[in-house]
Amino acid sequence: MKNLNIVLVEPQIPQNTGNISRTCAVTGARLHLIRPFGFEINDKQLKRAGLDYWDKLDISYYDSLDDFFSKNQGEYFFFTTKGKKVYSEACYPDNAFLFFGREDKGLDETLLYNNPGRCVRVPMRNELRSLNLSNTVAIAVYEVLRQWDFPDLSREGQLTKYTW
């Protein structure tokens, strides 16, 4: 199984982090959370959004970006509305790390400036600010998995009352 890593830098909204945790659980992506958070990890809204998938997560916590970078290696991709490259143009290798910033500020511009070739964006209308964070993460995760031919994921479902 290839490794996909989702990195949330200073997430602020518990429902977004809960939804992202559910996406990670159902796809096998590893979740990395970088402090400070805008909520407590035991927050009822966080657990509610993640539903009963919380115990299915591979999750790590870090005190800062420096702490994260000192403990992890791989290819980094920074999702930002300021990116010059469309997310689907990138080739995501095994052990890719997809970074997403705070809902209210995004990723630090110094980090983006120092990594211009690794900044990617989801196309959207110019006059609007951005997509919801959990939607953007889901788009990104499934693009990577599509490129990898959906390893270890079920490709068909079953009806409950009928048989196909």
Side-chain angles (χ1 to χ4, degrees):
M1 171 76 178
K2 291 186 175 185
N3 294 308
L4 176 58
N5 299 277
I6 303 306
V7 182
L8 301 184
V9 180
E10 301 179 7
Q12 298 298 299
I13 300 174
Q15 295 90 335
N16 281 336
T17 302
N19 289 336
I20 292 164
S21 70
R22 185 173 181 166
T23 297
C24 289
V26 302
T27 60
R30 186 169 180 213
L31 181 60
H32 302 264
L33 298 177
I34 300 176
R35 293 180 183 90
F37 310 139
F39 51 84
E40 297 294 324
I41 290 300
N42 60 6
D43 191 308
K44 184 170 62 174
Q45 293 173 319
L46 174 70
K47 300 288 176 131
R48 183 173 171 208
L51 297 174
D52 55 344
Y53 295 91
W54 200 253
D55 64 329
K56 309 289 189 265
L57 279 173
D58 183 355
I59 189 167
S60 298
Y61 302 94
Y62 306 89
D63 291 326
S64 66
L65 264 176
D66 289 338
D67 183 29
F68 172 86
F69 286 126
S70 73
K71 296 175 180 171
N72 294 281
Q73 291 184 342
E75 288 204 43
Y76 303 138
F77 297 87
F78 304 99
F79 280 73
T80 173
T81 58
K82 299 162 183 85
K84 301 235 179 241
K85 185 177 186 179
V86 174
Y87 74 99
S88 57
E89 296 171 341
C91 292
Y92 301 96
D94 185 16
N95 205 38
F97 288 84
L98 311 184
F99 284 74
F100 302 86
R102 291 172 56 133
E103 291 91 339
D104 59 345
K105 296 195 300 191
L107 293 166
D108 182 83
E109 285 200 1
T110 302
L111 178 67
L112 301 177
Y113 180 79
N114 289 331
N115 296 280
R118 296 286 177 182
C119 294
V120 296
R121 67 175 277 122
V122 175
M124 62 191 79
R125 294 169 54 192
N126 287 331
E127 65 271 12
L128 300 176
R129 189 168 37 106
S130 67
L131 285 170
N132 173 275
L133 179 63
S134 63
N135 292 337
T136 303
V137 171
I139 290 168
V141 166
Y142 274 92
E143 172 59 20
V144 173
L145 295 173
R146 183 196 65 80
Q147 288 185 16
W148 294 354
D149 198 31
F150 302 104
D152 297 326
L153 298 181
S154 176
R155 290 177 168 267
E156 63 180 54
Q158 294 299 319
L159 299 172
T160 56
K161 291 176 25 182
Y162 304 98
T163 303
W164 290 111

